[in-house]
Structures are given as structure tokens and as C-alpha cells.
């Protein structure tokens, strides 16, 4: 059983990462698990009032989760999109247990409680942010590999 889920909440503990060894020619896969408290804000005349949210484990699978785990910190505000699934298992005494968890497709960091963001290259060196290009909205460097061409030339229609 599963259903689409989108929610906003705070990370309650440090991220957990598990890397799984590849089978055959497949690249390694990783699991990032976060414990998140999702809010249930109810609008009132005096603003929003939290009417009892809930805690849920959030899991996302990807090969880069070890790097992502460095981004997420306890207390950080995030937006999660994915599906809610019922996880069922037997405990050590053989009793049936169940719990809802979120299998995330996306986890976005919201700007609340973030003190600083520093971008680093893959080699760990600081990469200063470049000013926007003067060539237009879609300059050659706009794509991840520079594959987008500028649809408007700098001299379009005899202007400039």
C-alpha cells in the first residue's frame, strides 16, 4: 500500500547512510535515512497553529547519498516529495510490527535555520560563484555540460 506524499518538516536526528555493494556490473547504491517531524499547521485568525504533526522515517536511494548526508543536519527544515508506504516486519519476539515511512523522490532544503551555504568542487576546493553571463538568458554555460545555446543573440533585431 502506498500513496503520494509531500510534506514539510524538521530533521530530528543525524542522517544515516548505508552503502550496498554492487551486484555484477552495477554501480554501488546507497540509502540515506532521515528521521523527520512533519508539521500539521492549521490556519487561525492569529496565524498558523501546529495541531500535532507526526514523525516518519524518510528514505532516499541514490549512488551519491554519502555526499548528500553532509548537507543534511539535525534541526534543518526540509520539503519531502515521494510516497508514503507501510513497512511491516516481525520484532525479535516474533510480534508483527508496522510503521509508515516515506520513500522520497526529492528532498529539498528550505532556507529556514540555514546559516551558510558553501559550494565546493568535487575535489573539495572552493568554487566562487560566477556573475551571470551578459549573453542572455540561456548562455552557452547555462547547462550542466554547456549544451544549451543562447536562443537570443546579443545583437537580435538590430538592438545593442
Amino acid at each position: 500500500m502506498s500513496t503520494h506524499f509531500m510534506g514539510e518538516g524538521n530533521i530530528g536526528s543525524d542522517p544515516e547512510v548505508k552503502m550496498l555493494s554492487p551486484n555484477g556490473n552495477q554501480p554501488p547504491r546507497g540509502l540515506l535515512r532521515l528521521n523527520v517531524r512533519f508539521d500539521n499547521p492549521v490556519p487561525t485568525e492569529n496565524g498558523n497553529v501546529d495541531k500535532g504533526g507526526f514523525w516518519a522515517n524518510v528514505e532516499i536511494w541514490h549512488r551519491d547519498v554519502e555526499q548528500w548526508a553532509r548537507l543534511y543536519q539535525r534541526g534543518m527544515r526540509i520539503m519531502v516529495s515521494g510516497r508514503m508506504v507501510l513497512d511491516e516486519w516481525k520484532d525479535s519476539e516474533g510480534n508483527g510490527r508496522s510503521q509508515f515511512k516515506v520513500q522520497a523522490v526529492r528532498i529539498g532544503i528550505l532556507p529556514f535555520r540555514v546559516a551558510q551555504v558553501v559550494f565546493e568542487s568535487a575535489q573539495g576546493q572552493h568554487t566562487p560563484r560566477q556573475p551571470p553571463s551578459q549573453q542572455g538568458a540561456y548562455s552557452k554555460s547555462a547547462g550542466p555540460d554547456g549544451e544549451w545555446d543562447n536562443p537570443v543573440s546579443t545583437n537580435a533585431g538590430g538592438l545593442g
Side-chain angles (χ1 to χ4, degrees):
M1 176 180 119
S2 70
T3 184
H4 179 74
F5 176 83
M6 182 171 277
E8 186 176 309
N10 291 44
I11 299 173
S13 60
D14 292 331
E16 295 177 37
V17 175
K18 291 185 181 179
M19 294 303 292
L20 302 173
S21 59
N23 295 337
N25 294 334
Q26 296 188 7
R29 284 183 46 159
L31 171 66
L32 174 66
R33 184 175 292 145
L34 302 170
N35 190 15
V36 179
R37 181 171 192 296
F38 292 99
D39 303 328
N40 183 20
V42 176
T44 64
E45 292 178 10
N46 299 331
N48 288 338
V49 175
D50 187 8
K51 292 290 187 177
F54 62 95
W55 286 93
N57 287 325
V58 175
E59 296 180 346
I60 189 164
W61 290 85
H62 198 273
R63 66 175 185 257
D64 295 329
V65 294
E66 286 180 311
Q67 296 166 351
W68 295 355
R70 288 185 243 141
L71 294 173
Y72 301 113
Q73 301 168 7
R74 184 175 182 207
M76 184 178 278
R77 189 89 175 149
I78 59 173
M79 173 69 79
V80 178
S81 175
R83 41 187 217 129
M84 184 77 78
V85 297
L86 183 62
D87 193 11
E88 298 177 304
W89 71 95
K90 294 209 182 273
D91 64 12
S92 60
E93 291 138 16
N95 299 324
R97 308 272 301 184
S98 64
Q99 172 181 334
F100 279 103
K101 69 179 176 182
V102 178
Q103 289 181 341
V105 176
R106 286 184 199 88
I107 301 174
I109 298 173
L110 298 176
F112 310 105
R113 301 182 186 174
V114 175
Q116 179 181 10
V117 176
V118 177
F119 293 99
E120 294 183 358
S121 68
Q123 291 79 27
Q125 299 173 350
H126 176 72
T127 304
R129 185 181 166 124
Q130 298 296 321
S133 171
Q134 300 298 321
Q135 293 181 348
Y138 300 102
S139 67
K140 191 69 171 174
S141 63
D145 297 318
E147 73 272 12
W148 298 334
D149 287 316
N150 187 356
V152 181
S153 72
T154 55
N155 204 10
L159 299 174

